[in-house]
């Protein structure tokens, strides 16, 4: 199984244990449930998902300002997937 690094805690996990966050061509930030979308992706572990906003991980990864509501939406989507 492929191993990926969490963008928040920098821990290494199997890909299936992580959430993949992508930025679409239109600039929309989405949760990639299938983990196969052709887009730039960041991986975040389940424990770190609530802390991603505080660390501004999406801003660093995508080099742009991210609305705080995006983090809340992603956390809610991730929680509903568990």
């Amino acid at each position: 199984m492929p191993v990926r690094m969490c963008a928040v805690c920098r821990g290494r996990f199997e890909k299936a244990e992580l959430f993949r966050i992508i930025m679409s061509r239109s600039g929309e930030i989405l949760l990639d449930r299938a983990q196969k979308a052709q887009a730039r992706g960041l991986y975040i572990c389940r424990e770190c998902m609530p802390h991603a906003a505080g660390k501004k991980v999406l801003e660093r990864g995508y080099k742009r300002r991210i609305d705080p509501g995006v983090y809340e939406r992603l956390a809610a989507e991730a929680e509903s997937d568990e």
Side-chain angles (χ1 to χ4, degrees), residues 21-56:
I21 312 297
I22 62 163
M23 183 170 65
S24 69
R25 292 180 192 262
S26 64
E28 188 178 4
I29 306 294
L30 304 168
L31 185 64
D32 179 18
R33 288 181 174 84
Q35 295 193 350
K36 294 184 186 273
Q38 292 294 315
R40 171 109 180 159
L42 293 172
Y43 291 90
I44 301 176
C45 70
R46 297 183 194 294
E47 293 79 31
C48 291
M49 197 57 143
H51 309 292
K55 300 257 184 174
K56 297 188 182 256

Side-chain angles (χ1 to χ4, degrees), residues 3 9 22 31 80:
V3 175
C9 70
I22 62 163
L31 185 64
S80 69

